[in-house]
Amino acid sequence: MFTPSKTAQIAAVFTQHQGDKISILKLIKLMYLADRESMARYGFPISFDNLISMKHGPVLSTTLDLINGFLNSPGTAKWDE
């Protein structure tokens, strides 16, 4: 099940490894690749997000919406924390 707080933690790990500054495109691609690698190795993703195809390749749908501020429901309040 997709959990915004877990996904935010994944984003924080990648951001910290990049010196606390990372482009949204690079972050979303790294998170997609981590999910894909987890599926290949263990049979399930890390984020359990929906994968969609965009202009610059596949991305994690809900994660991208959270990053861009398109989701403001009570279930996504953990992202801002």
Side-chain angles (χ1 to χ4, degrees):
M1 172 176 269
F2 178 81
T3 309
S5 60
K6 181 179 180 182
T7 306
Q9 291 170 356
I10 298 165
V13 168
F14 283 118
T15 302
Q16 288 173 344
H17 281 277
Q18 293 293 312
D20 293 331
K21 194 171 187 178
I22 189 170
S23 73
I24 292 173
L25 181 62
K26 185 171 185 174
L27 175 62
I28 203 72
K29 293 301 177 185
L30 287 171
M31 292 177 73
Y32 163 77
L33 290 172
D35 252 11
R36 190 175 79 176
E37 184 64 23
S38 177
M39 286 188 277
R41 286 186 187 191
Y42 308 112
F44 56 88
I46 299 170
S47 72
F48 291 92
D49 198 350
N50 295 319
L51 304 176
I52 61 168
S53 182
M54 299 284 284
K55 179 180 177 181
H56 296 288
V59 298
L60 305 175
S61 171
T62 306
T63 302
L64 184 60
D65 286 345
L66 286 168
I67 290 170
N68 288 326
F70 296 145
L71 294 179
N72 295 320
S73 68
T76 62
K78 296 285 185 194
W79 184 262
D80 292 335
E81 294 175 7

